[in-house]
């Protein structure tokens, strides 16, 4: 019960900060149940009290300012919600896309201490020079340093986790879980959106980001995937100077990809660079099932050879074979106007329940795809089309897929970077060869033979485990047989245990109701805030 009250207080504080900045989290036109309308009337005094404290700032920056004030975990939450226009509405979702993950750097003394704890010894044992932070975000900051390799002085980038960041994040995550469970329990229509699963996804991503050895492994894996690719590379990892809280990689001396004028002055073809950015991302997603999920302009550079270099691999996305086929077929279906095939993929993959027909979903696909034909490249956004596609999830009872949400968010970012390099870039021309290549490789006769080989391996694995499975089945049957003969017995200890659980359940229900009232008050205060 104490945990429920603490989480409620944390959420109330968040509600006041959001109200101060005039943030509204309930989309216009969204129906509000009668109990919430009644509760909203009760929160009028709260809105009156907070009105004088509201900050006068542009609407587009209100959300970013509020989340920055609430702390790093709320910044990460905001980045996640930017992909969920179906939950928070397109207006707020668009505002969140401008959210920048920037923070005040921590001190050089703390950075030195972190390096020495992580790598052992003195900082000078590892680096001949160690400079001040060059970038600081919610989870970590980066320093430029130098090492001696083969007798030569070499520049490296050293990423260090913020002190005590894990404790702060997991405390706030606990309150997110609490709110998500309340929403699922007391507002059934939201269960389809899987709010708890969304928080699960946030936690999983955060767990990965807070172990820098995993980021190093992600860089290494992508380096292996792109060995034969042209026009794109990743930094080299310095494994000797990498630990859970410290990551050391090659320093990238390149031109930020956002500096289009400088790139053109250096003689680089920005149109070709834009095509490379988009095709690289799609190739990683479809071919490898492993993509950089934070490819914004601050994480991309162009080196002197004209190659694009990505940095900051803290957020990565993975797609299984079924998801990759889904993406390739969707893109190919929209490009070729084969809406029936694109719709059939959804049902085959299980994204659309079988009580809907292929023809019905093909009609929805046509509504999305037809308007793009005959329009200029500048008017077509692949990311927006994916967003429209996901907007049909409620109509066709499609369950939320976190991996596809991350893909769409990444597509929005990558498409924006590519269009900044070439405003006339036709995303469909860029995407067509990548989708076609994947389909030929995986859905051709040779591809199907490869798939059959993978299926044979799976069958062989099942056959190898059959004796153990049969033994467990036999044990279960014997157990049920004994139960049938002697009956199901409940001794005094078992009954007392059940009674104790019942008492704890009632106490938990009381706590949940208290917390639910607090959450309703926050929600309705936000509903009325501007």
């Amino acid at each position: 019960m104490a945990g429920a009250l603490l989480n409620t207080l944390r959420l109330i504080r968040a509600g006041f900060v959001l109200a101060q900045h005039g943030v509204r989290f309930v989309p216009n036109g969204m129906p509000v149940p009668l109990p919430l309308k009644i509760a909203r009337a009760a929160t009028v005094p709260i809105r009156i009290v907070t009105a004088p404290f509201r900050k006068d700032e542009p609407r587009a920056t209100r959300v970013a300012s509020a989340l920055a004030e609430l702390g790093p975990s709320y910044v990460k939450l905001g980045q996640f919600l930017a992909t969920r226009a179906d939950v928070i509405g397109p207006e707020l979702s668009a505002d969140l896309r401008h959210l920048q993950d920037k923070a005040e750097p921590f001190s050089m003394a703390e950075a030195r201490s972190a390096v020495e704890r992580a790598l052992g010894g003195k900082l000078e044992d590892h680096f001949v020079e160690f400079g001040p932070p060059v970038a600081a975000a919610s989870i970590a900051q980066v320093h430029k340093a130098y090492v001696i390799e083969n007798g030569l002085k070499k520049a490296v980038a050293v990423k260090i986790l913020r002190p005590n960041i894990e404790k702060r994040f997991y405390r706030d995550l606990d309150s997110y879980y609490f709110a998500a469970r309340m929403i699922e329990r007391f507002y059934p229509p939201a269960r389809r959106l899987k709010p708890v699963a969304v928080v699960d996804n946030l936690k999983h991503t955060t767990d990965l980001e807070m172990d820098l050895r995993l980021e190093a492994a992600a860089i290494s894996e992508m380096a292996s995937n792109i060995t034969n690719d042209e026009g794109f590379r990743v930094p080299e990892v310095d494994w000797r100077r990498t630990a859970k809280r410290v990551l050391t990689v090659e320093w990238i001396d390149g031109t930020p990809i956002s500096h289009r004028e400088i790139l053109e002055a250096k003689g680089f073809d920005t149109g070709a660079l834009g095509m490379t950015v988009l095709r690289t991302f799609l190739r990683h997603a479809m071919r490898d099932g492993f993509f950089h999920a934070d490819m914004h302009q601050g994480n991309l550079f162009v080196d002197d050879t004209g190659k694009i270099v990505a940095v900051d691999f803290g957020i990565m996305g993975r797609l299984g074979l079924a998801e990759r086929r889904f993406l390739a077929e969707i893109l190919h279906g929209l490009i070729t106007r084969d809406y029936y095939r694109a719709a059939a993929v959804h049902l085959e993959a299980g994204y659309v329940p079988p009580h809907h027909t292929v023809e019905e979903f093909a009609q929805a696909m046509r509504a999305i795809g037809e308007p793009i034909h005959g329009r200029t490249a500048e008017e077509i956004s692949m990311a927006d089309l994916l967003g429209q596609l996901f907007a049909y999830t409620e109509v066709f009872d499609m369950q939320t897929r976190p991996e596809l949400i991350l893909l769409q968010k990444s597509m929005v970012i990558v498409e924006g970077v590519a269009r900044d390099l070439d405003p006339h870039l036709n995303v469909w021309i860029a995407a067509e060869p990548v989708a076609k290549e994947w389909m030929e490789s995986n859905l051709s006769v040779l591809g199907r033979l490869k798939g059959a080989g993978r299926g044979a391996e799976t069958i062989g694995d099942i056959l190898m485990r059959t004796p153990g499975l049969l033994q467990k089945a036999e044990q279960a049957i014997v157990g049920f047989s004994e139960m049938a003969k002697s009956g199901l017995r409940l001794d005094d200890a078992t009954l007392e245990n059940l009674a104790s659980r019942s008492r704890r359940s009632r106490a938990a229900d009381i706590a949940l109701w208290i917390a639910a009232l607090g959450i309703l008050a926050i929600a309705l205060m936000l509903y009325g805030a501007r």
Side-chain angles (χ1 to χ4, degrees), residues 85-86 97 334 346 361 364-372 375 379-396 398 408 412 428:
D86 57 329
R97 290 176 189 172
L334 290 173
H346 283 71
F361 197 67
M365 293 291 296
R366 183 178 293 275
I368 296 170
E370 281 302 304
I372 72 173
R375 296 171 65 184
E379 297 177 302
I380 303 171
S381 168
M382 185 188 300
D384 286 347
L385 286 174
L386 287 175
Q388 291 179 48
L389 177 65
F390 296 152
Y392 276 109
T393 59
E394 184 173 2
V395 177
F396 289 92
M398 294 168 65
Q408 188 213 357
V412 170
W428 299 106

Side-chain angles (χ1 to χ4, degrees), residues 259-487:
H259 295 178
R260 181 180 167 190
E261 295 80 6
I262 297 176
L263 291 172
E264 289 174 341
K266 287 185 175 183
F268 294 124
D269 183 344
T270 55
L273 289 173
M275 188 75 76
T276 298
V277 168
L278 194 58
R279 283 182 175 167
T280 292
F281 173 79
L282 291 173
R283 190 172 289 115
H284 294 171
M286 283 189 280
R287 182 194 65 193
D288 307 326
F290 186 59
F291 59 91
H292 192 309
D294 200 19
M295 278 179 61
H296 60 73
Q297 289 180 326
N299 286 339
L300 295 172
F301 298 85
V302 180
D303 66 16
D304 290 338
T305 68
K307 282 190 174 182
I308 295 171
V309 189
V311 299
D312 193 356
F313 289 75
I315 305 176
M316 304 298 294
R318 288 193 184 274
L319 297 175
L321 189 60
E323 287 76 31
R324 283 183 266 166
R325 180 183 176 186
F326 166 82
L327 177 60
E329 294 253 31
I330 284 296
L331 292 178
H332 193 260
L334 290 173
I335 291 167
T336 61
R337 303 169 88 167
D338 188 353
Y339 304 118
Y340 186 90
R341 181 62 200 148
V345 170
H346 283 71
L347 276 84
E348 290 171 7
Y351 294 140
V352 177
H355 62 269
H356 292 288
T357 67
V358 176
E359 290 78 11
E360 287 175 335
F361 197 67
Q363 183 179 355
M365 293 291 296
R366 183 178 293 275
I368 296 170
E370 281 302 304
I372 72 173
H373 294 284
R375 296 171 65 184
T376 62
E378 300 96 309
E379 297 177 302
I380 303 171
S381 168
M382 185 188 300
D384 286 347
L385 286 174
L386 287 175
Q388 291 179 48
L389 177 65
F390 296 152
Y392 276 109
T393 59
E394 184 173 2
V395 177
F396 289 92
D397 305 309
M398 294 168 65
Q399 295 293 317
T400 298
R401 299 295 296 250
E403 66 273 28
L404 295 180
I405 290 172
L406 188 59
L407 173 70
Q408 188 213 357
K409 171 220 171 187
S410 303
M411 189 70 246
V412 170
I413 296 171
V414 170
E415 189 178 39
V417 172
R419 284 195 184 279
D420 281 344
L421 290 165
D422 179 9
H424 303 289
L425 178 70
N426 190 318
V427 294
W428 299 106
I429 291 176
E432 185 173 12
V434 180
K436 184 179 179 182
E437 176 187 343
W438 189 94
M439 293 182 71
E440 288 178 350
S441 175
N442 291 271
L443 301 182
S444 63
V445 174
L446 180 60
R448 292 182 187 278
L449 286 174
K450 290 179 181 177
R454 288 191 293 267
E457 290 177 6
T458 302
I459 292 172
D461 182 58
I462 292 172
L463 290 174
M464 289 292 290
R465 289 184 290 150
T466 297
L469 295 173
L470 290 175
Q471 183 180 5
K472 291 180 179 178
E474 181 183 4
Q475 292 171 353
I477 291 169
V478 170
F480 281 119
S481 177
E482 290 296 324
M483 187 184 297
K485 291 178 183 178
S486 58

Side-chain angles (χ1 to χ4, degrees), residues 60-336:
T61 63
R62 291 175 186 173
V63 181
S65 300
L67 297 182
E69 184 175 330
L70 286 168
S73 62
Y74 281 87
V75 172
K76 287 295 177 187
L77 178 64
Q79 291 174 328
F80 266 73
L81 288 177
T83 68
R84 299 306 308 271
D86 57 329
V87 176
I88 61 176
E91 182 179 307
L92 183 57
S93 176
D95 291 344
L96 284 171
R97 290 176 189 172
H98 300 291
L99 182 62
Q100 296 294 314
D101 190 1
K102 295 180 180 180
E104 288 296 317
F106 52 88
S107 70
M108 286 290 287
E110 289 174 306
R112 167 183 281 272
S113 177
V115 170
E116 292 176 347
R117 284 197 305 271
L119 303 181
K122 296 289 186 182
L123 180 131
E124 290 76 13
D125 297 335
H126 308 285
F127 304 101
V128 293
E129 289 183 31
F130 192 85
V134 295
S138 57
I139 287 181
Q141 68 185 32
V142 177
H143 297 251
K144 185 175 184 180
Y146 291 87
V147 299
I148 299 296
E149 292 285 349
N150 300 319
L152 300 175
K153 191 175 179 181
K154 176 184 175 183
V156 293
V158 184
K159 185 174 183 177
I160 307 172
L161 289 185
R162 287 186 170 276
N164 302 315
I165 188 65
E166 295 94 339
K167 182 179 179 181
R168 174 71 182 272
F169 254 90
Y170 293 130
R171 186 193 68 189
D172 287 339
L173 276 171
D174 191 45
S175 65
Y176 300 161
Y177 271 117
F178 177 74
R181 292 187 187 105
M182 292 299 97
I183 291 169
E184 286 196 0
R185 179 164 185 169
F186 296 107
Y187 190 56
R191 291 172 189 165
R192 182 190 63 84
L193 301 173
K194 296 185 178 180
V196 172
V198 172
V199 182
D200 282 338
N201 194 21
L202 174 60
K203 180 183 183 302
H204 176 66
T205 303
T206 303
D207 287 341
L208 295 179
E209 283 194 82
M210 290 188 185
D211 188 340
L212 297 180
R213 296 169 299 186
L214 296 176
E215 181 172 347
I219 298 172
S220 177
E221 181 178 348
M222 180 163 283
S224 298
N225 291 342
I226 65 173
T227 302
N228 298 319
D229 292 359
E230 296 182 0
F232 183 87
R233 72 180 185 92
V234 298
E236 182 182 349
V237 177
D238 184 342
W239 286 100
R240 291 173 52 199
R241 298 176 179 86
T242 292
K244 183 177 181 180
R245 298 183 64 83
V246 173
L247 167 65
T248 305
V249 299
E250 164 196 2
W251 179 266
I252 301 301
D253 272 322
T255 304
I257 206 165
S258 57
H259 295 178
R260 181 180 167 190
E261 295 80 6
I262 297 176
L263 291 172
E264 289 174 341
K266 287 185 175 183
F268 294 124
D269 183 344
T270 55
L273 289 173
M275 188 75 76
T276 298
V277 168
L278 194 58
R279 283 182 175 167
T280 292
F281 173 79
L282 291 173
R283 190 172 289 115
H284 294 171
M286 283 189 280
R287 182 194 65 193
D288 307 326
F290 186 59
F291 59 91
H292 192 309
D294 200 19
M295 278 179 61
H296 60 73
Q297 289 180 326
N299 286 339
L300 295 172
F301 298 85
V302 180
D303 66 16
D304 290 338
T305 68
K307 282 190 174 182
I308 295 171
V309 189
V311 299
D312 193 356
F313 289 75
I315 305 176
M316 304 298 294
R318 288 193 184 274
L319 297 175
L321 189 60
E323 287 76 31
R324 283 183 266 166
R325 180 183 176 186
F326 166 82
L327 177 60
E329 294 253 31
I330 284 296
L331 292 178
H332 193 260
L334 290 173
I335 291 167
T336 61

